[in-house]
Amino acid sequence: MKIEYQSIGIVHSPFTKRKGTPIQPSRSKAVGTVEVFSEYAEGLNDLDGFSHIILLCHLHQSTTYRLKIVPFLDTELRGLFATRAPNRPNPIGLSVVRLAGVEGNILTVEGLDLLDGTPVLDIKPYVGEFDGQPDFRFGWLETARRQTDAADDRFT
Amino acid sequence: MKIEYQSIGIVHSPFTKRKGTPIQPSRSKAVGTVEVFSEYAEGLNDLDGFSHIILLCHLHQSTTYRLKIVPFLDTELRGLFATRAPNRPNPIGLSVVRLAGVEGNILTVEGLDLLDGTPVLDIKPYVGEFDGQPDFRFGWLETARRQTDAADDRFT
């Protein structure tokens, strides 16, 4: 089944290449903006009441993938769907970022792990009841063999 | 910018119509399966170590949207991107579900809020450090004016 989407906005970020870009919002202090295209701006009403939002983005530099990869935080091959690697069959990035401000169609966000120019597919409010989980088993990451906050160029 | 994806699997769920389907995994006890197409099965390695997974799905019955809607848990019009309503410009559903088992290309999951036959776009491991947030402000949901666990037919 083929599915076609259109970007609703674009990320403005200090990061222009993968190497050195934070691997997750939780490991980033970077501030940037999400420019929502004006035709969608009305949908941003009420968003400013939320401390965090979820950005679903098209990771546009991911044009290929392998089903087993060595993730940034490990030294062993892992199944792709057990990792957060960017190169996926459908390269959708999920970033939970802090919402620092809303002005018209511009969202200021903290904790960016996205490249400049990344197309935005959807914006959702982060809701602890829906999205927070006890996380009582987290697989290979429980004993992550490598520590880093930033990407290298393995998925370039 | 047009973006084209292909489903990597399909949801098998007890829910066949929107009305009565749980509005979120946190309000569902339903068990079902995710059938990952065999060509992607190798990517499921190591996933069984995680207690929860994130399903990103194409909400295939959502073919239209409005930028202001009355969400299930409120009685007032809210900006669409400040809600989790299914009818969105790019109708991508984000469901954090409990992973009860993995057998080959079949995942058994608990807490389904998805319709039978929903196409799956991506599967990610849920990681508390990445995905859990303190949620210290959650907007209109802090004083949700309506309580329900199940959808009605407002977005049909």
Side-chain angles (χ1 to χ4, degrees), chain A residues 4-69:
Chain A
E4 200 171 274
Y5 292 143
Q6 284 196 294
S7 58
I8 63 161
I10 192 167
V11 172
H12 300 288
S13 155
F15 306 112
T16 56
K17 51 177 191 248
R18 285 190 168 183
K19 191 175 173 178
T21 297
I23 59 171
Q24 282 286 334
S26 61
R27 299 182 179 212
S28 171
K29 296 190 190 314
V31 176
T33 58
V34 175
E35 176 189 349
V36 176
F37 300 139
S38 56
E39 62 263 42
Y40 300 108
E42 192 187 6
L44 298 174
N45 272 34
D46 304 301
L47 194 62
D48 58 358
F50 291 83
S51 51
H52 292 80
I53 59 173
I54 301 170
L55 301 176
L56 296 180
C57 292
H58 177 64
L59 303 177
H60 59 306
Q61 292 201 11
S62 290
T63 54
T64 183
Y65 69 91
R66 283 172 297 140
L67 289 171
K68 289 217 173 172
I69 55 97

Side-chain angles (χ1 to χ4, degrees), chain A residues 7-150:
Chain A
S7 58
I8 63 161
I10 192 167
V11 172
H12 300 288
S13 155
F15 306 112
T16 56
K17 51 177 191 248
R18 285 190 168 183
K19 191 175 173 178
T21 297
I23 59 171
Q24 282 286 334
S26 61
R27 299 182 179 212
S28 171
K29 296 190 190 314
V31 176
T33 58
V34 175
E35 176 189 349
V36 176
F37 300 139
S38 56
E39 62 263 42
Y40 300 108
E42 192 187 6
L44 298 174
N45 272 34
D46 304 301
L47 194 62
D48 58 358
F50 291 83
S51 51
H52 292 80
I53 59 173
I54 301 170
L55 301 176
L56 296 180
C57 292
H58 177 64
L59 303 177
H60 59 306
Q61 292 201 11
S62 290
T63 54
T64 183
Y65 69 91
R66 283 172 297 140
L67 289 171
K68 289 217 173 172
I69 55 97
V70 178
F72 293 128
L73 299 179
D74 205 355
T75 54
E76 293 192 23
L77 279 171
R78 301 292 180 185
L80 176 61
F81 299 120
T83 79
R84 303 293 283 262
N87 292 2
R88 315 177 77 83
N90 298 307
I92 304 175
L94 189 174
S95 301
V96 182
V97 296
R98 182 158 169 180
L99 181 62
V102 183
E103 277 195 68
N105 64 325
I106 307 291
L107 312 179
T108 300
V109 297
E110 296 173 2
L112 263 188
D113 64 341
L114 294 159
L115 289 170
D116 192 51
T118 299
V120 179
L121 295 171
D122 198 11
I123 298 167
K124 299 182 194 287
Y126 178 87
V127 181
E129 184 211 311
F130 303 160
D131 304 305
Q133 288 296 339
D135 181 47
F136 54 84
R137 285 192 301 125
F138 47 108
W140 61 268
L141 272 162
E142 293 177 24
T143 53
R145 289 179 177 79
R146 191 169 170 269
Q147 275 305 320
T148 182
D149 290 342

Side-chain angles (χ1 to χ4, degrees), chain A residues 1-7 40 58 90 121, chain B residues 1-7 58-59 62-63 88-92 121:
Chain A
M1 182 184 188
K2 284 202 177 167
I3 294 154
E4 200 171 274
Y5 292 143
Q6 284 196 294
S7 58
Y40 300 108
H58 177 64
N90 298 307
L121 295 171
Chain B
M1 182 185 190
K2 285 201 177 167
I3 294 154
E4 200 172 274
Y5 292 144
Q6 284 197 294
S7 57
H58 177 65
L59 304 176
S62 291
T63 53
R88 316 177 76 83
N90 299 307
I92 304 175
L121 295 171

Side-chain angles (χ1 to χ4, degrees), chain A residues 4-5, chain B residues 18 57-65 84-93 115 155-156:
Chain A
E4 200 171 274
Y5 292 143
Chain B
R18 285 191 168 183
C57 293
H58 177 65
L59 304 176
H60 60 304
Q61 293 202 9
S62 291
T63 53
T64 183
Y65 69 91
R84 303 293 283 261
N87 292 3
R88 316 177 76 83
N90 299 307
I92 304 175
L115 289 171
F155 297 118
T156 306

